[in-house]
Amino acid sequence: FGVEAERSVLSTLQIPSNSQLTTIGNSAFIYHKLTSLNIPSSVRMIGNRAFEQVDVVSGTLTTLTFANNASLTSIGDDSFAYNALTSLSLPASLESIGARAFAALRAGVKTIAIGRNVRAIGNNFAYGEELATITVDYSNSYFTSDNGVLYNKNMTTLVKCPDDYYITNETLNVPSTVTTLQAGAFDGWL
């Protein structure tokens, strides 16, 4: 598993903008050393571990771009885990983000914006040494953000507290409405 990928010198994956590609399957490019990736508007689903790296040290993907008119609805578990992304802008079409999809983000990703269509977010979907804020589109019916911390819409579940928040703040005032801390809510770089 991944033996050929360890020898790979493939650094850029260019999929034409007029591509008919709709699915990037599970483990499609696991452990490859891609540095740049453009996801065309035709892609609707990215499978589990599609672009996962072995560990934080080996992650090479720094540039991830989604087409402006993206139709992507689902990003699977661990899809971009252990990569070296320096920024992250999720498409408005996105409806679900898998567990640890953006695990171990490196320096540079300070904010993740959750769009209006996202209705499912897996445990510990993102963490990174400088991730300070998670924002949510006001019209999202499933999630909200308060002081950069992600909650479900009615604020009964604390979904994710960004790593930099609890590294730089001594106190987090959890709303009295919270009954559940989602698995991985405070898991990350510590």
Side-chain angles (χ1 to χ4, degrees), residues 125-137:
F125 82 101
Y127 61 89
E129 57 192 25
E130 291 186 8
L131 182 59
T133 305
I134 300 170
T135 63
V136 179
D137 185 291

Side-chain angles (χ1 to χ4, degrees), residues 126-155:
Y127 61 89
E129 57 192 25
E130 291 186 8
L131 182 59
T133 305
I134 300 170
T135 63
V136 179
D137 185 291
Y138 181 76
S139 62
N140 185 298
S141 299
Y142 301 92
F143 297 97
T144 191
S145 177
D146 182 42
N147 202 23
V149 178
L150 181 64
Y151 298 89
N152 67 338
K153 190 66 170 188
N154 59 6
M155 295 186 75

Side-chain angles (χ1 to χ4, degrees), residues 7-109:
R7 296 192 310 232
S8 173
V9 293
L10 180 67
S11 63
T12 302
L13 180 61
Q14 294 182 340
I15 304 169
S17 60
N18 63 347
S19 171
Q20 298 301 306
L21 180 68
T22 59
T23 301
I24 299 174
N26 294 344
S27 304
F29 290 92
I30 191 170
Y31 307 151
H32 278 270
K33 305 296 186 234
L34 295 173
T35 58
S36 178
L37 176 61
N38 292 314
I39 306 291
S41 62
S42 60
V43 174
R44 296 188 49 76
M45 199 265 308
I46 297 174
N48 298 335
R49 304 179 76 191
F51 298 96
E52 179 185 5
Q53 288 299 308
V54 177
D55 56 39
V56 180
V57 176
S58 64
T60 57
L61 184 63
T62 57
T63 305
L64 173 62
T65 307
F66 298 100
N68 288 336
N69 57 343
S71 60
L72 183 68
T73 59
S74 176
I75 296 176
D77 296 349
D78 302 295
S79 290
F80 296 96
Y82 307 113
N83 273 292
L85 297 175
T86 54
S87 66
L88 183 59
S89 181
L90 300 174
S93 59
L94 194 60
E95 295 176 4
S96 71
I97 304 170
R100 300 164 313 281
F102 298 99
L105 294 169
R106 303 253 190 101
V109 179

